[in-house]
């Protein structure tokens, strides 16, 4: 209410002052010519005083007085003509006064109603930072977030598959230290849409792996927890993500969910920074690229970034991926080698003629290692180190591929 009183009073005072000036139609100080007359009279007195004191010769004084008198007479004639003119039309003045009042009062309040948030309390930056920190510390727990999710109908699956999953549950229940059983149960519970049961099984996987648990084990767990909570990153899921990042600071899944958590806790500025950096460092086929591209423009607007432009989608990597190699596992050795060799040869030809990214060079090294062609893989690695000399990130990717191909030790 105080805000409206102050702004209303200021707008009203300005409007009254402008309207009064418009309706009056003339200046209280008189026409501008009146000032000219006074100036010329003062100049005549100064010339006479200088002539009397001897500062100005008599001839020069007469010339100056003649010139000033001429200007004085011209200004007097102009002033008389101005005084004889009538004031501005009152009708036009009233119309203009109404327009000014509407623009200042109505336009000002209308613009605030459109751009501002009437009735919303002031939220300075420091207060918003404190509220975001409080929201981060006092978030809803995982169990409560899951309880708020609406019930969903079970997936329609074949009876024999459902029976096999039920047997798997019973077997795991009887053998709680069966790592392979818990891994299978995690996979099948997730396939059935039972996210809570899936992440419970994944927790057992991590328990049984102990110190050998890797970052992906934790991101798989966090992913299932977030799905069970309807996309909400709970404090419990945050701790799991921190475990993943402690093992792999560059883990894309953990960084994606970290940005999402910041957006959910009133810090879209930090969320935008995390997503923007991750997006520009990711390959086209990374699973977090599509959801980031779909949401980052809105995130930028919430963060107050007005000049953000979505980068062009990265071209998909060429050559056989790890998934391609895994998919070829069911083929005969001859067919598997032929399929991988065909993709590798095409990739090597493109790298030789068009060049490629560090990830594509790394794929070529890894694939040649799978084919058992250590000499060719070593040659590609050696050439890659020359091509990407000075680019530590690229060289690290090539070395990782060389390690997987058996060309270097970790």
């Amino acid at each position: 209410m105080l805000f409206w009183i102050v702004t209303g009073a200021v707008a009203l005072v300005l409007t009254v002052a402008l309207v009064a000036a418009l309706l009056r139609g003339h200046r209280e100080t008189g026409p501008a010519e009146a000032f000219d007359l006074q100036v010329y009279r003062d100049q005549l007195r100064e010339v006479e005083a200088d002539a009397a004191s001897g500062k100005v010769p008599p001839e020069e004084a007469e010339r100056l007085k003649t010139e000033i008198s001429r200007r004085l007479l011209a200004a007097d004639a102009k002033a008389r003509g101005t005084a004889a003119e009538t004031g501005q039309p009152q009708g036009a003045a009233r119309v203009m006064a109404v327009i000014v009042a509407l623009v200042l009062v109505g336009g000002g309040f209308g613009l605030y109603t459109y751009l501002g948030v009437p009735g919303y309390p002031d939220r300075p930056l420091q207060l918003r930072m404190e509220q975001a920190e409080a929201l981060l510390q006092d978030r809803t727990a995982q169990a409560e977030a899951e309880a708020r999710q609406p019930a969903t109908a079970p997936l329609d699956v074949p009876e024999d598959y459902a029976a096999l999953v039920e047997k798997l549950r019973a077997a795991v229940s009887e053998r709680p230290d069966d790592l392979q059983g818990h891994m299978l149960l995690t996979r099948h519970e997730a396939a059935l849409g039972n996210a809570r049961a899936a992440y419970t099984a994944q927790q057992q996987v991590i328990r049984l792996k102990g110190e050998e648990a890797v970052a992906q084990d934790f991101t798989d767990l966090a992913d299932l927890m977030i799905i069970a909570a309807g996309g909400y990153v709970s404090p419990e899921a945050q701790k799991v993500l921190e475990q993943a990042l402690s093992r792999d600071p560059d883990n894309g899944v953990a960084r994606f969910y970290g940005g999402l958590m910041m957006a959910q806790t009133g810090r879209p500025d930090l969320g935008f920074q995390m997503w923007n950096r991750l997006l520009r460092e990711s390959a086209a086929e990374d699973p977090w690229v599509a959801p980031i591209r779909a949401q980052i423009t809105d995130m930028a607007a919430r963060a107050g970034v007005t000049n953000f432009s979505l980068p062009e989608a990265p071209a998909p990597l060429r050559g056989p991926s790890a998934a391609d190699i895994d998919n070829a596992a069911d083929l005969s050795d001859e067919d598997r080698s032929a399929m991988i060799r065909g993709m590798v040869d095409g990739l090597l030809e493109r790298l030789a003629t068009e060049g490629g990214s560090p990830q594509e060079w790394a794929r070529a090294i890894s694939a040649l290692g799978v084919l058992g062609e250590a000499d060719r893989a070593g040659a590609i690695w050696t050439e890659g180190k020359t091509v990407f000399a000075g680019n530590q990130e690229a060289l690290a990717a090539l070395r990782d591929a060389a390690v997987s191909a058996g060309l270097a030790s970790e």
Side-chain angles (χ1 to χ4, degrees), residues 77-198:
K78 191 173 182 181
R80 292 175 184 276
T82 301
E85 295 177 356
T86 58
Q88 64 182 355
Q90 288 299 304
R94 293 190 183 96
V95 171
M96 184 58 66
V98 172
I99 293 174
V100 168
L102 290 176
V103 169
L104 282 179
V105 179
F109 282 92
L111 187 62
Y112 176 75
T113 302
Y114 176 73
L115 296 177
V117 186
Y120 199 70
D122 186 26
R123 296 191 66 205
L125 177 61
Q126 184 60 35
L127 175 61
R128 282 179 284 157
M129 297 282 285
E130 293 174 357
Q131 290 176 338
E133 182 62 25
L135 183 60
L136 181 63
Q137 299 300 326
D138 301 329
R139 284 175 294 155
T140 303
Q142 178 74 25
E144 185 178 350
E146 292 177 20
R148 294 178 180 178
Q149 300 309 308
T152 57
L155 295 179
D156 185 14
V157 297
E159 292 184 4
D160 56 345
Y161 176 68
L164 287 173
V165 174
E166 192 61 39
K167 290 180 180 179
L168 177 60
R169 291 169 183 158
V172 170
S173 177
E174 294 174 359
R175 298 192 297 273
D177 293 334
D178 182 358
L179 175 60
Q180 189 64 31
H182 282 293
M183 294 175 64
L184 289 172
L185 186 58
T186 299
R187 184 186 310 167
H188 291 294
E189 293 287 15
L192 291 172
N194 300 328
R196 184 172 185 179

Side-chain angles (χ1 to χ4, degrees), residues 203 216 236 264 370:
Q203 287 174 330
Q216 185 174 347
E236 294 86 348
Q264 292 176 348
V370 172

